[in-house]
């Protein structure tokens, strides 16, 4: 991970070599833990898409009800997202993040014992409340430790962790459900929820002792290293957009443009996450382990694309065109998907390319909000943008489920997602000036 900070520009007073040594230490202290938390978080979202393949029959779960269950998670998330991020500024990241991890792990385990669609919907709503603030809190936490020159690659590292989760979640879920049916008297999908929920509880307890809220509180940095981190961050804030507080942030129209762009991106990545196993089974595949292996391909592609795009975006300090073209690539792949019906190989290739592009757009996007917001407005602003985007989790999943129930096919739903991605790319390129992101292009 240390090569993520090469090259690193010197500040006005500190040489690059000193900063590299200090930030390498920060990276190795914080990133492994936070990336592991992000992996577990991604698995605890993806597990529902695999559990659906078996639990649908056991609890009489229709595609429309599944769409509501997948979507209502985001309603709970949205309702408590802004308060959670604002509260994090008061109590600190350590207390906030560990509380979130323990609660979401316990609720994931409890989901194993639902017996009706309504109980599943209620469990997903509670899971959304429990997780609220985790992702925007993580983005905010990165701004406490890493300047903009590192943030593209650091952010990409977290999403690469999520892609790694996608790579292992399919084979892991397929193996658990294929071989552990009957463990402790539980059904295969119940075992899946239990075994993927417990690690979050354990990690939450560990995080209470491992995380540090701010550089000046880090006992594992010496005084000179603390000063180097603080100075690198301080010089960045002198060039930031000036907001006086949360109310001032809410009056900035770019906040809502960014939120709408994120809505379009999240419509694509979220639909992939929750419907990919169902779509792959529609290609004519039935074996759970085979479905798990095939669904790993888009995440492998996303893993490579995130790394390359993150490095390129940081090297050129250019965000808009990297993100816009990635969104358009995803739209093209999803739009062509229905033309490949009946051809399993071409279908897998298109969904892999489209999914990889849609997933890769996420870390590229999250380099944009910190450049639009001041330090005083970052907590609330990031949470508002995330909340607007997370509306896609509610609306897109309900819409996809309704389309699937009505037509028996997912292809029309992916056409609609493609249109949204094109709209989002145009909104980004036209609505957000390049000068607000650090340098003109």
């Amino acid at each position: 991970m240390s090569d993520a900070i090469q090259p690193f520009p010197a500040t006005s007073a500190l040489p690059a070599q000193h900063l590299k040594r200090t930030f390498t230490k920060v990276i190795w202290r914080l990133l492994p833990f936070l990336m592991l938390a992000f992996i577990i978080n991604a698995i605890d979202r993806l597990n529902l898409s695999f559990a659906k393949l078996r639990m649908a029959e056991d609890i009489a779960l229709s595609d429309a009800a599944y769409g509501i269950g997948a979507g209502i998670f985001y309603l709970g998330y949205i309702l408590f997202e802004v308060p959670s991020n604002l509260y994090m500024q008061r109590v600190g990241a350590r207390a906030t993040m560990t509380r979130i991890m323990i609660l979401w792990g316990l609720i994931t385990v409890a989901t194993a014992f639902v017996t009706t669609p309504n109980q599943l919907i209620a469990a997903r709503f509670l899971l959304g409340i429990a997780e609220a603030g985790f992702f925007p809190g993580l983005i905010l936490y990165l701004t406490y430790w890493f300047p903009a020159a590192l943030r593209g690659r650091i952010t990409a590292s977290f999403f690469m962790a999520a892609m790694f989760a996608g790579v292992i979640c399919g084979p892991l879920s397929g193996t658990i459900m294929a071989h552990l049916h009957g463990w402790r008297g539980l059904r295969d999908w119940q075992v899946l929820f239990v075994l993927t929920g417990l690690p979050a509880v354990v990690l939450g307890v560990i995080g209470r002792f491992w995380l540090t809220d701010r550089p000046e509180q880090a006992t594992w940095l010496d005084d000179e290293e603390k000063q180097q981190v603080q100075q690198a961050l301080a010089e960045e804030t002198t060039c930031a957009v000036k907001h006086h507080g949360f109310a001032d942030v809410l009056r900035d129209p770019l906040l809502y443009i960014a939120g709408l762009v994120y809505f379009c991106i999240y419509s694509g990545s979220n639909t992939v996450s929750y419907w990919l196993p169902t779509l792959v089974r529609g290609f004519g595949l039935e074996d759970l382990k085979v479905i798990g292996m095939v669904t790993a391909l888009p995440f492998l592609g996303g893993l490579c694309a995130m790394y390359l795009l993150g490095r390129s975006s940081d090297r050129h300090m250019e965000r808009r065109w990297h993100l816009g073209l990635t969104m358009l690539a995803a739209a093209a792949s999803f739009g062509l998907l229905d033309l490949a019906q009946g051809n399993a190989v071409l279908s897998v290739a298109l969904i892999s390319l489209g999914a990889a592009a849609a997933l890769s757009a996420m870390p590229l996007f999250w380099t944009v909000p910190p450049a639009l917001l001041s330090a005083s407005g970052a907590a609330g602003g990031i949470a508002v943008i995330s909340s607007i985007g997370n509306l896609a989790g509610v609306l897109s999943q309900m819409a996809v489920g309704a389309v699937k129930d009505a037509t028996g096919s997912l292809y029309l739903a992916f056409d609609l997602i493609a249109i949204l991605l094109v709209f989002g790319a145009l909104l980004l390129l036209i609505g957000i000036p390049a000068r607000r992101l650090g340098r003109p292009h």
Side-chain angles (χ1 to χ4, degrees):
M1 281 183 288
S2 59
D3 66 345
I5 64 172
Q6 186 70 274
F8 187 89
T11 69
S12 60
L14 298 172
Q17 192 59 34
H18 287 186
L19 288 172
K20 179 185 176 183
R21 184 166 55 248
T22 298
F23 277 101
T24 296
K25 189 172 182 178
V26 174
I27 283 173
W28 280 107
R29 171 71 186 200
L30 297 180
L31 257 63
F33 180 89
L34 294 174
M35 289 174 70
L36 181 57
F38 211 65
I39 288 172
I40 294 172
N41 181 251
I43 290 175
D44 283 349
R45 292 192 185 191
L46 292 170
N47 58 11
L48 180 65
S49 65
F50 290 92
K52 171 187 179 288
L53 301 178
R54 297 287 189 163
M55 75 185 300
E57 181 178 343
D58 288 347
I59 68 171
L61 182 69
S62 67
D63 285 318
Y66 170 73
I68 294 172
I72 204 166
F73 164 89
Y74 295 95
L75 181 59
Y77 199 101
I78 290 166
L79 290 175
F80 288 86
E81 190 167 19
V82 173
S84 179
N85 236 35
L86 293 176
Y87 189 61
M88 175 174 155
Q89 282 192 310
R90 295 180 57 190
V91 303
R94 181 179 63 174
T96 300
M97 299 300 228
T98 55
R99 166 184 56 80
I100 288 172
M101 284 187 275
I102 292 171
L103 285 177
W104 102 52
L106 291 174
I107 294 173
T108 298
V109 172
T111 305
F113 304 100
V114 301
T115 58
T116 68
N118 286 338
Q119 289 178 7
L120 175 65
I121 291 169
R124 294 292 297 178
F125 181 70
L126 291 175
L127 183 63
I129 294 174
E131 277 195 39
F134 177 71
F135 176 71
L138 186 61
I139 295 297
L140 179 62
Y141 189 54
L142 294 182
T143 68
Y144 296 162
W145 289 92
F146 300 104
L150 292 178
R151 214 170 286 143
R153 281 159 286 179
I154 296 297
T155 305
S157 297
F158 285 102
F159 283 94
M160 288 171 66
M163 292 306 96
F164 177 73
V167 171
I168 66 174
C169 187
L172 176 65
S173 298
T175 300
I176 288 174
M177 294 175 69
H179 296 291
L180 293 182
H181 177 70
W183 179 72
R184 302 290 183 180
L186 299 175
R187 304 281 292 173
D188 46 11
W189 59 271
Q190 293 177 304
V191 177
L192 179 62
F193 281 124
V194 171
L195 294 185
T196 55
L198 288 176
V201 178
V202 174
L203 199 64
V205 174
I206 295 173
R208 187 73 181 179
F209 304 96
W210 189 256
L211 294 177
T212 305
D213 287 330
R214 299 272 188 167
E216 59 269 23
Q217 300 169 348
T219 58
W220 41 273
L221 292 176
D222 61 34
D223 290 340
E224 182 182 0
E225 290 166 338
K226 292 176 186 178
Q227 185 176 9
Q228 289 174 0
V229 174
Q230 290 172 307
Q231 184 167 343
L233 294 170
E235 293 199 4
E236 174 188 272
T237 59
T238 60
C239 302
V241 172
K242 302 300 181 185
H243 292 119
H244 297 294
F246 186 45
D248 193 36
V249 170
L250 292 176
R251 290 192 288 269
D252 189 345
L254 289 185
L255 181 78
Y256 304 100
I257 293 175
L260 288 173
V261 173
Y262 186 49
F263 179 95
C264 297
I265 295 170
Y266 206 50
S267 293
S269 64
N270 195 253
T271 298
V272 167
S273 296
Y274 282 107
W275 292 94
L276 186 58
T278 302
L279 182 68
V280 169
R281 187 166 65 175
F283 296 160
L285 304 175
E286 290 293 338
D287 184 271
L288 286 174
K289 288 191 287 187
V290 173
I291 292 174
M293 296 298 292
V294 171
T295 57
L297 295 177
F299 294 97
L300 276 172
L303 192 64
C304 297
M306 280 182 183
Y307 177 77
L308 295 174
L309 288 168
R311 286 185 66 87
S312 176
S313 178
D314 274 357
R315 184 179 298 114
H316 297 95
M317 284 302 291
E318 198 288 317
R319 312 301 187 187
R320 292 162 68 253
W321 284 104
H322 279 79
L323 176 57
L325 292 177
T326 301
M327 294 171 68
L328 292 174
S333 299
F334 291 156
L336 293 171
L337 192 60
D338 57 350
L339 300 178
Q341 292 187 58
N343 187 326
V345 174
L346 182 57
S347 294
V348 169
L350 283 172
I351 192 59
S352 296
L353 176 60
L359 294 166
S360 297
M362 295 286 282
L364 285 173
F365 172 81
W366 281 109
T367 62
V368 172
L372 299 177
L373 300 166
S374 66
S376 61
I382 288 171
V384 169
I385 291 171
S386 182
S387 294
I388 295 172
N390 278 321
L391 283 172
V394 181
L395 301 177
S396 65
Q397 298 320 304
M398 293 181 180
V400 170
V403 169
K404 176 67 166 58
D405 257 5
T407 66
S409 171
L410 284 172
Y411 292 102
L412 177 59
F414 275 89
D415 288 339
L416 296 175
I417 297 300
I419 294 171
L420 270 178
L421 285 166
V422 171
F423 171 76
L426 295 176
L427 185 62
L428 166 75
L429 296 173
I430 296 172
I432 299 181
R435 67 178 180 275
R436 287 290 298 267
L437 303 184
R439 58 183 279 195
H441 289 280

